[in-house]
Amino acid sequence: MEKIIEVKALSKHFKTKKGLTVKAVDEVDFFLEKGKTLAIVGESGSGKTTLGKTLLKIYEPTGGRIYFEGKDITNYSKDKMKELRANLQMVFQDPTSSLNPRKSIGNIISLPLKIHTRMTKKEIKEKVIWLLEQVDLSPAFYSRYPNALSGGQKQRVGIARALALNPKLIVLDEPTASLDVSVQAKILTLLEELKNRFGLSYIYITHDLGVVRNMADFTLVMYLGRVMEYASTEELFRNPLHPYTVALLSSIPTIMDEEKSTIPYEITLSGDIPSLTEIPDYCRFYSRCYKKEKECMEKEPELREMLSGHWVRCIRV
Amino acid sequence: MDALLKVEDLHVNFKTPFGMAKVLNGVSLYIKPQEIVSLVGETGCGKSITAKSILDVLPETSIISGKISLKDKDFLSIGKKERRTLIRSRIGYIPQNPMTSLNPVFTIGEVFFDLIKWHGKEIVPWRAYRKWKRHIKEERDIAIELLKKVHLPQPEDVLSKYPTQLSGGMRQRVLIAMSMIGNREFLIADEPTTALDVTIQKGIVELIKEKVEEERLSVLYITHNLGVAKYLSNRIYVMYAGDIVEFGPSESLLRNPLHPYTQGLLNSIPKLVKTGFSGIPGRLPSYITPPEGCRFSPRCPKSMEICNNIKPPLKEVEEGHFVRCHLYGKDN
């Protein structure tokens, strides 16, 4: 088993103007095997995107270690990161705002090639057209501009751009959140194909548990910057242990009767996700938990391995 | 059967620089008293245009024909002023995006009191408004009552807050409370949970269901989420490119989807069990030059010769379950 990426106690804390500390990502541990997909799930504000960006060192981590293919890249300088950048790419959430409206599609996809390689203009153009083919877009898109494209097509361009430098790991930040389901299904199928064709590994950030079930090998459930549960997707859906995971599953409006079997019991969470500046020093889920007891307020629970490979942060399990 | 709201053969066209966009292509639907009906479809299929036609808030470039009637009173044949008064006093509306639907420079209370006092009015007399604004009592009580109904804690506090001080879920609750002002019997909800997290969505959807049962409302619920539609509604209408392609009781429609579009849509949804998914090839047709015949035919895997030329009629396949597709012809 080869680990493509591993993080140990990774943290990203922001300071606000008022001097408060926002612990967006707080001591997260996980690793990902080569060629697999890890899903990071949670509500908005749970630190999913920050984790994704910190992993790629788009944000500088404030604590912990990041290992890429066994090498510690935590303290890599900008120049050193640039060499590595080709291996680590990201596809962003909103395809409309992540493409420059004043640049043609050809221009957008060729930019990473211009920065990182010494290919000639002709070679670059050939490569871009090849990349367009890989994401099922015709070469005619080369000279078009983003505003002429539909949401699904824009996201294909985003994927082509991420593929340009033959990466090993791609962080997909809710790539289908703004798309219709019929388009989403096509993008997800494309992502699966590309993964097999190029031997990629994915970190898939999403809040859609249906997508997780069908795409991911491993799942990490986050709440307020912390890992609440971590297991293989099979195991997590067969046997969700953390109350928060169950609440997330239970909040999905299901269509098929078979889907109901994955939800142990019906629960509706009251209240919203608390502010990241007001995190208690005991269990973070306490304010919304429906299984809370007095002992939950004593200290923050540890992430414990309850079953082989199934980690949970809850003392009530 | 007495329908509360009835839309018959509604056509809406828009004038554009490139020609006439023929968006709604003969939409017919009805909602019985105390019934929740979902209108399901993807972006750009005409769901919101249908809602806007009923609410009479279409832009001026639109040309509308057909019949919309509330309790047998035809909206489109009466004068504009009378129509607007009627619509505004009888139909409640829950908007899509709670973040942009409340004016950030007014407190919740300021907006709420205005709505309670002047709801249904076309023009608000300025002098009477200023005089009234100085001592609001009755309206405050009504507002607090309504906010309690949507389970907002400390309603007095909420009234003095600005929209930015509330979370998305709370704002949507405020908007639901506002939609219930003045004993309305009919609500239009235009994707009220799209902008919210799933955990919050569940609470809002449950609230809508509870209120509808308590207040004996009828609802047209617009959504693209078939799961929400299943949970909430008695009947579902499926819309594609300005046409109602299939409708029927929720159970029967989701158990036995008949139209190839409905089937494609259901197969596209990633489920909680590992079943995989397949999308629908192609994309929405242009409304300026829509396909003759069935508008889904260019994307349909089961398309036949006849589909390209003749718009299929509605056909009742199961009880109350209608489909607009040539596959279900007279012979089979």
Side-chain angles (χ1 to χ4, degrees):
Chain A
M1 183 191 76
E2 203 183 333
K3 289 176 190 170
I4 180 106
I5 195 155
E6 180 169 19
V7 299
K8 285 187 178 152
L10 187 70
S11 297
K12 175 66 193 170
H13 297 176
F14 295 98
K15 284 263 191 304
T16 66
K17 277 181 191 164
K18 287 176 186 164
L20 296 166
T21 309
V22 177
K23 295 179 178 175
V25 173
D26 208 6
E27 294 183 12
V28 169
D29 299 86
F30 69 82
F31 64 85
L32 177 64
E33 286 170 46
K34 218 175 170 114
K36 302 278 184 193
T37 302
L38 170 78
I40 302 175
V41 289
E43 289 169 277
S44 21
S46 59
K48 312 186 291 287
T49 300
T50 313
L51 175 58
K53 288 189 172 171
T54 314
L55 272 181
L56 300 188
K57 299 236 307 162
I58 295 172
Y59 292 149
E60 276 306 312
T62 47
R65 297 263 147 227
I66 309 169
Y67 302 90
F68 176 72
E69 292 187 320
K71 282 174 300 206
D72 185 347
I73 62 165
T74 325
N75 296 325
Y76 269 30
S77 63
K78 276 235 166 92
D79 286 345
K80 245 182 152 182
M81 241 0 253
K82 193 180 157 189
E83 291 164 31
L84 207 63
R85 186 59 69 204
N87 293 319
L88 302 162
Q89 288 289 319
M90 187 156 182
V91 175
F92 298 94
Q93 177 166 8
D94 182 358
T96 306
S97 56
S98 59
L99 301 179
N100 187 339
R102 300 188 57 173
K103 298 228 156 128
S104 69
I105 301 305
N107 242 318
I108 290 170
I109 302 178
S110 56
L111 191 62
L113 295 168
K114 283 177 195 157
I115 293 171
H116 287 273
T117 67
R118 289 189 184 160
M119 293 160 91
T120 61
K121 268 191 178 165
K122 199 170 157 246
E123 284 169 342
I124 286 179
K125 184 161 183 183
E126 275 166 15
K127 173 106 193 203
V128 171
I129 287 172
W130 179 81
L131 284 165
L132 284 172
E133 272 166 26
Q134 298 305 306
V135 294
D136 302 332
L137 291 176
S138 78
F141 281 91
Y142 187 86
S143 51
R144 288 187 195 162
Y145 285 81
N147 66 0
L149 272 58
S150 70
Q153 289 168 342
K154 281 183 209 166
Q155 200 52 284
R156 284 170 194 269
V157 171
I159 295 167
R161 175 174 60 183
L163 284 175
L165 297 168
N166 309 322
K168 291 175 179 164
L169 175 75
I170 301 183
V171 174
L172 303 152
D173 186 5
E174 307 213 29
T176 59
S178 57
L179 305 177
D180 271 316
V181 279
S182 67
V183 183
Q184 165 175 288
K186 286 188 285 181
I187 296 282
L188 294 179
T189 315
L190 172 73
L191 286 170
E192 278 291 283
E193 276 171 30
L194 294 172
K195 185 180 148 188
N196 296 333
R197 200 181 303 160
F198 299 112
L200 303 167
S201 310
Y202 287 150
I203 289 182
Y204 197 106
I205 298 168
T206 181
H207 60 259
D208 187 333
L209 286 166
V211 174
V212 173
R213 182 70 188 94
N214 287 281
M215 294 284 290
D217 302 298
F218 298 93
T219 306
L220 188 81
V221 181
M222 282 188 80
Y223 188 75
L224 287 177
R226 279 263 201 222
V227 178
M228 287 294 171
E229 190 161 2
Y230 173 61
S232 72
T233 308
E234 286 289 330
E235 166 70 16
L236 191 87
F237 281 76
R238 193 173 53 231
N239 184 22
L241 293 175
H242 199 285
Y244 180 60
T245 314
V246 177
L248 272 183
L249 274 170
S250 162
S251 63
I252 310 276
T254 54
I255 295 163
M256 287 157 61
D257 291 334
E258 296 94 298
E259 289 182 85
K260 291 236 163 67
S261 63
T262 46
I263 304 165
Y265 43 87
E266 276 286 311
I267 186 80
T268 306
L269 285 185
S270 56
D272 294 323
I273 187 164
S275 161
L276 277 163
T277 52
E278 293 156 14
I279 295 173
D281 51 9
Y282 44 91
C283 178
R284 296 171 187 227
F285 188 54
Y286 186 82
S287 61
R288 295 169 83 193
C289 190
Y290 48 93
K291 277 191 166 180
K292 59 188 168 195
E293 291 282 334
K294 231 178 177 175
E295 53 191 351
C296 297
M297 283 190 82
E298 278 162 17
K299 63 176 172 59
E300 174 143 34
E302 297 284 316
L303 193 63
R304 293 178 299 161
E305 190 168 14
M306 300 304 295
L307 298 157
S308 167
H310 191 157
W311 298 73
V312 191
R313 192 189 291 280
C314 180
I315 51 167
R316 305 265 301 131
V317 180
Chain B
M1 174 207 68
D2 266 350
L4 179 73
L5 180 100
K6 214 167 175 180
V7 176
E8 284 165 274
D9 199 29
L10 183 69
H11 287 261
V12 174
N13 295 347
F14 288 92
K15 285 178 238 164
T16 74
F18 313 104
M20 193 66 87
K22 298 169 267 299
V23 179
L24 294 194
N25 186 24
V27 169
S28 298
L29 53 87
Y30 62 89
I31 294 149
K32 288 184 266 184
Q34 289 168 52
E35 191 182 37
I36 309 184
V37 170
S38 287
L39 184 59
V40 178
E42 294 183 279
T43 315
C45 73
K47 304 185 299 278
S48 290
I49 298 292
T50 309
K52 284 179 179 169
S53 313
I54 298 171
L55 292 165
D56 193 25
V57 289
L58 285 174
E60 281 178 9
T61 51
S62 62
I63 300 161
I64 178 167
S65 71
K67 208 173 153 195
I68 303 173
S69 46
L70 187 70
K71 279 191 172 166
D72 294 328
K73 186 148 186 149
D74 187 359
F75 281 1
L76 296 178
S77 63
I78 58 178
K80 188 176 171 185
K81 206 172 161 187
E82 196 188 342
R83 174 167 75 226
R84 294 228 158 148
T85 315
L86 191 73
I87 292 170
R88 286 175 192 192
S89 56
R90 303 273 279 282
I91 304 180
Y93 176 64
I94 308 173
Q96 176 165 13
N97 192 341
M99 308 297 162
T100 54
S101 302
L102 287 165
N103 192 330
V105 304
F106 295 109
T107 62
I108 302 295
E110 281 175 291
V111 179
F112 220 134
F113 303 147
D114 282 4
L115 281 171
I116 292 168
K117 176 78 181 170
W118 308 101
H119 95 93
K121 303 273 194 305
E122 172 80 350
I123 297 159
V124 176
W126 180 234
R127 266 175 204 215
Y129 180 81
R130 289 204 10 211
K131 200 171 161 198
W132 159 78
K133 199 84 201 189
R134 276 183 228 122
H135 30 78
I136 296 155
K137 173 101 192 34
E138 239 175 276
E139 287 79 13
R140 179 177 295 273
D141 294 341
I142 299 174
I144 289 173
E145 195 58 38
L146 285 168
L147 288 177
K148 275 185 189 153
K149 277 189 184 171
V150 294
H151 311 304
L152 271 174
Q154 292 143 349
E156 290 89 347
D157 281 0
V158 172
L159 286 175
S160 61
K161 279 191 172 148
Y162 286 91
T164 47
Q165 293 170 293
L166 302 177
S167 71
M170 285 168 88
R171 277 185 246 184
Q172 198 54 278
R173 278 169 199 269
V174 168
L175 287 163
I176 291 172
M178 285 176 177
S179 76
M180 298 196 306
I181 291 168
N183 297 322
R184 272 141 177 181
E185 48 199 335
F186 182 63
L187 274 186
I188 294 181
D190 190 358
E191 308 211 32
T193 59
T194 325
L196 305 173
D197 262 319
V198 277
T199 47
I200 312 296
Q201 162 173 292
K202 189 162 194 237
I204 296 288
V205 168
E206 280 173 0
L207 173 74
I208 291 176
K209 189 163 188 164
E210 178 197 317
K211 288 302 126 193
V212 165
E213 279 160 14
E214 244 173 59
E215 316 273 325
R216 308 168 81 79
L217 298 166
S218 319
V219 183
L220 177 64
Y221 193 93
I222 295 172
T223 180
H224 61 257
N225 189 326
L226 278 164
V228 172
K230 183 190 176 189
Y231 175 79
L232 265 181
S233 48
N234 312 80
R235 290 188 302 124
I236 296 177
Y237 283 85
V238 181
M239 201 166 185
Y240 177 77
D243 271 321
I244 300 282
V245 293
E246 183 169 3
F247 70 94
S250 314
E251 252 327 288
S252 120
L253 188 133
L254 292 173
R255 194 191 59 238
N256 182 23
L258 298 168
H259 199 281
Y261 175 67
T262 319
Q263 292 167 355
L265 200 59
L266 273 166
N267 287 337
S268 299
I269 300 171
K271 322 249 179 359
L272 287 182
V273 283
K274 196 161 186 169
T275 47
F277 36 75
S278 51
I280 304 172
R283 49 196 285 209
L284 269 179
S286 151
Y287 283 114
I288 293 165
T289 51
E292 304 254 326
C294 175
R295 285 188 171 183
F296 187 58
S297 58
R299 297 172 75 182
C300 184
K302 293 173 186 167
S303 172
M304 302 177 285
E305 188 67 46
I306 184 174
C307 304
N308 302 324
N309 307 313
I310 299 163
K311 181 175 169 177
L314 268 181
K315 164 109 186 153
E316 186 168 13
V317 178
E318 289 175 287
E319 199 195 341
H321 187 168
F322 289 80
V323 63
R324 192 183 282 286
C325 180
H326 285 303
L327 285 174
Y328 306 91
K330 290 180 197 102
D331 309 321
N332 34 359

